[in-house]
Amino acid sequence: GRARESATGPRAEGAPRRLSRTTRRWIILGGLIVLMMMFLGPTVGSWYSQARTIDRLQAEVTAQESQVAQLRHERELWRSDAYVERQARQRLGFVKVGDQAYTLLDADPKLDDGARSSTWVDSRSPWYTQLWDSTTAADNPNVAP
């Protein structure tokens, strides 16, 4: 009886220990999962990065399409002579011959329509003379504003 017990009974300390089938299967499955993660990890990371880039570019395209629509609307406005005349008066301070232009200096900004403040424009002198006079006056500290 004892010979059998030693062969099938408790193992000797130096004998190799055998893993059960279930343990070996879990080790192999874990190794396969680690191997798959090594191969698929960079692919999934690059896919995620590209998806974020696509979303950002689509947002830029939407913003640019909105800007294009706004510019087309503005182009249509500029085709109107009345709009061009109004812009010349507001932005450049142009007046028609015979008109008198007045500008309030130090006007209350709450009452301002958004039009730019400028100095009084004499419609009888050419624009280049007005430009030269304003440059000369700006360079002279003795001239009162």
Side-chain angles (χ1 to χ4, degrees), residues 57-89:
L57 291 174
Q58 285 176 342
E60 285 181 21
V61 166
T62 303
Q64 288 175 351
E65 286 174 347
S66 172
Q67 185 180 11
V68 166
Q70 180 182 3
L71 291 172
R72 284 185 177 147
H73 175 71
E74 188 174 341
R75 180 184 65 189
E76 291 301 318
L77 288 175
W78 280 101
R79 289 184 178 169
S80 166
D81 290 340
Y83 183 78
V84 171
E85 181 180 334
R86 185 172 55 237
Q87 292 302 312
R89 287 176 179 267

Side-chain angles (χ1 to χ4, degrees), residues 89-145:
R89 287 176 179 267
Q90 287 178 351
R91 293 182 181 189
L92 304 173
F94 284 8
V95 292
K96 289 184 177 182
V97 176
D99 287 351
Q100 291 183 349
Y102 297 97
T103 301
L104 300 175
L105 300 177
D106 298 330
D108 187 5
K110 295 176 188 171
L111 302 176
D112 193 9
D113 295 343
R116 295 182 181 180
S117 296
S118 62
T119 59
W120 177 76
V121 177
D122 183 10
S123 62
R124 293 173 285 185
S125 63
W127 67 270
Y128 49 86
T129 304
Q130 295 172 21
L131 178 65
W132 181 255
D133 291 343
S134 66
T135 306
T136 307
D139 286 339
N140 188 353
N142 297 327
V143 175

